[in-house]
Amino acid sequence: MWVFGYGSLLWNPGFEVQEQAVGTLWGWHRSFCMRSIHHRGTVEAPGLVLALDAEDGAHCQGVALAVAEGQEAQTLAYLRERELVSSAYFETNLEVELRDGRRIEAVTYVIDPDHVQYCHLDLEEQAQIIARAVGGRGPNTDYLHNTASHLTELGIEDGDLDWLSARVRALTGT
């Protein structure tokens, strides 16, 4: 079983990974399009987390994570508890093209565009929210900066996340 990570799964998978490979998911893009009312914000002051939003011609580079043999059921239960806490994501299996040319099916969490937590904000609006939001798993800034730095370490370019990280640092003075 493979899992596709494009946000916090890059730096905090929470399960035993047997193999990791950079891969591309076609037809989707990474975006801060989900209001977070649990992990990185609250109902009163939502934060933002990344989700995969469908878009013709788009692609998202991330990491395919192979689940350790024998840990599939336990991992899926863990991921469902973590990712489906508010039903804003759909769990689906999508084809991912790995850098080495392999094509695999991976459990992937994508945004439900009809869910109340779905949003479409410009980058400045995103930065303003991320700079101040805090939720059950800590500051929204930590989520952004960890994701941006891990993408850089993996050799994955994401101009929007780089811009957001720099802008949020300017807003927060950190």
Side-chain angles (χ1 to χ4, degrees):
M1 182 175 101
W2 291 83
V3 176
F4 185 71
Y6 55 87
S8 63
L9 288 172
L10 296 170
W11 44 272
N12 182 25
F15 58 89
E16 189 179 341
V17 176
Q18 183 172 307
E19 180 185 351
Q20 169 176 312
V22 172
T24 302
L25 184 62
W26 298 96
W28 300 87
H29 71 98
R30 178 182 12 252
S31 171
F32 275 101
C33 63
M34 183 175 141
R35 294 189 189 279
S36 177
I37 59 172
H38 299 287
H39 299 315
R40 299 296 172 169
T42 63
V43 172
E44 299 79 23
L48 293 172
V49 290
L50 291 165
L52 289 174
D53 206 359
E55 182 180 316
D56 288 338
H59 72 280
C60 176
Q61 285 192 303
V63 175
L65 305 163
V67 176
E69 195 172 325
Q71 298 294 310
E72 295 88 353
Q74 177 183 337
T75 298
L76 202 50
Y78 163 76
L79 288 171
R80 287 175 175 162
E81 183 178 327
R82 171 180 166 167
E83 302 297 332
L84 302 178
V85 65
S86 64
S87 303
Y89 289 126
F90 290 129
E91 179 184 280
T92 187
N93 289 305
L94 297 173
E95 183 179 274
V96 177
E97 182 181 333
L98 303 182
R99 273 193 183 159
D100 64 12
R102 288 180 290 166
R103 292 180 181 271
I104 54 100
E105 288 263 317
V107 174
T108 307
Y109 294 93
V110 302
I111 192 72
D112 173 358
D114 295 322
H115 196 277
V116 68
Q117 287 174 251
Y118 177 76
C119 60
H120 185 76
L121 306 171
D122 67 38
L123 290 175
E124 181 61 29
E125 289 174 294
Q126 292 173 36
Q128 294 292 329
I129 291 168
I130 292 168
R132 67 177 187 273
V134 178
R137 292 205 174 162
N140 210 166
T141 54
D142 289 354
Y143 177 92
L144 166 64
H145 298 316
N146 280 332
T147 304
S149 68
H150 278 77
L151 288 171
T152 299
E153 289 171 17
L154 292 164
I156 297 172
E157 292 185 27
D158 189 314
D160 286 352
L161 258 64
D162 291 341
W163 186 90
L164 279 168
S165 189
R167 178 65 178 134
V168 168
R169 286 188 195 286
L171 289 169
T172 60
T174 60

